[in-house]
């Protein structure tokens, strides 16, 4: 078969599989007689390895391969299994979500979780959006607002992990998220004192967090990099949403989508709120937004270290100091 992996430096977090392993994975899911015509690794993800694989008598499919267990942080443990478990809860946007064709979490084939999905039509937003006049970009963000609202309307049984929600209170689930990130930051030799300080503040302000009483579905990573656009449409139109492995039951305001929509006010991103609805402006919501930003900054710190972007790690400490100062203002 023709095989085109992404060339990476030695020691990079993402480790490509081999051509023989791809053949073995295809035969595991599609049968011993499955023939593999080609496999091309897609380089737009930063956690799983993703391949476009052309399987004889099946057609083009997407193969996603998780990192080896020993390379996964505790806060990112078995994300692919969370994605697999979350698919039925994305029913309100089912036509936009890739279908799972098969998955293997036994580690009998390559020692890593992997799954096959249908290939979504269209082009990724980072590749396609620049072809449109900027005056048309609000259409994309209105679509994102509609999609996020449908996701956030889905109710869950408890707060926490999509696979095993175990917290009756949002405050307990949120502090557990911060504690997990702090432990991971410690494990790589970075200072987690500021993350633990935010967790301590959250413990003292449980009442504010617990104004959120109903667990809702959070995508965890819904933004332009994980969205496909219809090819050659007169305006940017979403045809697919993927990478839902960071799903969570929690407060919709804590979702990555909300952070990104609010990040650049006065731009085309404002169109997001036209379809999603205006964000809450209560005093409690303002305090919670500080907690949620702290969690995002902690996760960004960990990701930058994981990707070898050590020169960008110090910035997160300044950002966290600013957040903590606002708590005490």
């Amino acid at each position: 078969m023709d095989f085109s992996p992404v060339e990476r430096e030695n020691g990079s977090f993402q480790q490509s599989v081999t051509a023989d392993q791809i053949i073995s994975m295809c035969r595991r899911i599609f049968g011993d007689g499955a023939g593999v015509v080609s496999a091309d690794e897609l380089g737009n993800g930063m956690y799983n390895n993703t391949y476009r694989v052309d399987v004889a008598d099946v057609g083009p499919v997407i193969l996603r391969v998780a990192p080896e267990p020993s390379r996964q942080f505790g806060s990112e443990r078995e994300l692919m299994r969370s994605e697999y478990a979350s698919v039925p809860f994305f029913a309100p946007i089912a036509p936009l979500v890739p279908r799972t064709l098969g998955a293997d979490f036994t580690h009998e084939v390559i020692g890593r979780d992997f799954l096959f999905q249908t290939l979504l039509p269209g082009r990724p937003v980072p590749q396609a959006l620049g072809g449109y006049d900027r005056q048309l970009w609000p259409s994309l963000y209105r679509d994102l607002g509609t999609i996020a609202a449908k996701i956030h309307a889905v109710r869950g049984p408890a707060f926490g992990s999509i696979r095993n929600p175990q917290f009756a209170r949002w405050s307990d689930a949120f502090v557990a998220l911060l504690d997990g990130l702090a432990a991971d930051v410690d494990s790589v030799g970075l200072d987690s004192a500021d993350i633990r300080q935010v967790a301590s503040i959250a413990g003292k302000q449980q009442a504010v967090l617990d104004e959120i009483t109903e667990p809702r579905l959070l995508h965890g990573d819904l933004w332009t990099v994980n969205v496909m656009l219809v090819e050659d449409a007169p305006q940017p139109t979403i045809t697919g949403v993927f990478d839902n492995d960071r799903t969570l039951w929690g407060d919709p305001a804590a979702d990555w989508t909300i952070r990104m929509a609010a990040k650049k006010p006065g731009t085309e991103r404002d169109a997001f709120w036209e379809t999603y609805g205006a964000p809450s402006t209560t005093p409690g919501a303002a305090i919670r937004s500080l907690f949620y930003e702290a969690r995002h900054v902690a996760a960004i710190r960990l990701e930058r270290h994981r990707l070898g972007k050590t020169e960008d790690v110090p910035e997160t400490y300044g950002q966290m100091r600013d957040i903590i100062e606002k708590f005490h203002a």
Side-chain angles (χ1 to χ4, degrees):
M1 75 171 193
D2 294 328
F3 180 45
S4 299
V6 171
E7 297 295 330
R8 297 184 177 89
E9 296 181 0
N10 291 334
S12 296
F13 173 76
Q14 288 177 304
Q15 297 290 312
S16 180
V17 296
T18 67
D20 286 343
Q21 287 174 324
I22 288 179
I23 292 172
S24 295
M25 287 185 278
C26 286
R27 290 178 176 171
R28 178 73 156 195
I29 299 303
F30 300 110
D32 292 339
V36 184
V37 179
S38 63
D40 298 296
E41 186 172 7
L42 308 178
N44 54 328
M46 295 186 292
Y47 190 75
N48 301 304
N49 294 83
T50 304
Y51 304 83
R52 185 187 188 276
V53 183
D54 192 353
V55 183
D57 299 323
V58 176
V61 297
I62 292 294
L63 166 63
R64 303 184 69 207
V65 184
E68 296 176 357
S70 62
R71 300 176 69 84
Q72 298 178 21
F73 289 126
S75 61
E76 298 177 327
R77 185 78 62 199
E78 298 179 342
L79 292 182
M80 186 169 287
R81 301 187 188 194
S82 294
E83 175 171 358
Y84 183 85
S86 73
V87 171
F89 296 105
F90 283 94
I93 61 165
L96 299 176
V97 178
R99 290 184 292 107
T100 302
L101 300 174
D104 185 348
F105 302 150
T106 67
H107 293 192
E108 293 174 351
V109 178
I110 63 166
R112 298 162 66 174
D113 288 352
F114 67 89
L115 58 78
F116 286 89
Q117 298 173 319
T118 53
L119 178 67
L120 291 172
R123 297 178 63 203
V125 169
Q127 297 176 17
L129 189 60
Y132 291 97
D133 188 292
R134 191 151 189 163
Q135 292 182 343
L136 297 174
W137 288 14
S139 173
L140 166 66
Y141 296 99
R142 279 189 285 271
D143 278 0
L144 277 172
T146 298
I147 292 167
K150 290 181 179 179
I151 293 172
H152 292 165
V154 177
R155 295 168 172 81
F159 294 104
S161 165
I162 197 77
R163 287 192 294 138
N164 184 30
Q166 55 186 310
F167 298 99
R169 301 191 305 179
W170 174 228
S171 60
D172 293 334
F174 185 76
V175 170
L177 291 171
L178 290 179
D179 287 344
L181 286 166
D184 286 336
V185 168
D186 286 339
S187 73
V188 298
L190 296 174
D191 186 2
S192 70
D194 52 359
I195 304 174
R196 297 188 184 281
Q197 186 175 354
V198 173
S200 176
I201 296 170
K204 297 173 183 176
Q205 298 202 31
Q206 287 182 330
V208 175
L209 289 165
D210 289 336
E211 289 177 6
I212 306 303
T213 59
E214 189 172 55
R216 298 295 186 96
L217 182 63
L218 280 59
H219 182 282
D221 204 14
L222 174 62
W223 200 242
T224 55
V225 295
N226 292 326
V227 168
M228 304 289 282
L229 294 182
V230 175
E231 295 236 37
D232 302 322
Q235 62 183 15
T237 305
I238 294 176
T239 185
V241 173
F242 56 95
D243 239 6
N244 53 308
D245 53 4
R246 296 180 184 271
T247 47
L248 182 73
W249 295 116
D251 177 6
D255 210 350
W256 180 253
T257 317
I258 302 304
R259 180 193 194 253
M260 296 304 290
K263 190 175 181 181
K264 296 181 179 179
T267 70
E268 54 274 348
R269 296 191 189 195
D270 289 349
F272 175 91
W273 308 109
E274 296 174 19
T275 51
Y276 182 83
S280 175
T281 57
T282 66
I287 295 173
R288 287 191 295 275
S289 71
L290 293 177
F291 283 121
Y292 301 157
E293 180 62 13
R295 180 202 168 209
H296 293 314
V297 170
I300 290 169
R301 177 183 301 170
L302 192 63
E303 181 174 76
R304 287 177 177 176
H305 176 86
R306 172 164 54 77
L307 297 176
K309 298 180 179 180
T310 54
E311 70 280 4
D312 295 327
V313 169
E315 180 185 27
T316 66
Y317 287 93
Q319 292 170 334
M320 199 72 85
R321 280 195 300 272
D322 291 343
I323 294 169
I324 292 172
E325 287 177 2
K326 291 177 181 177
F327 278 120
H328 298 303

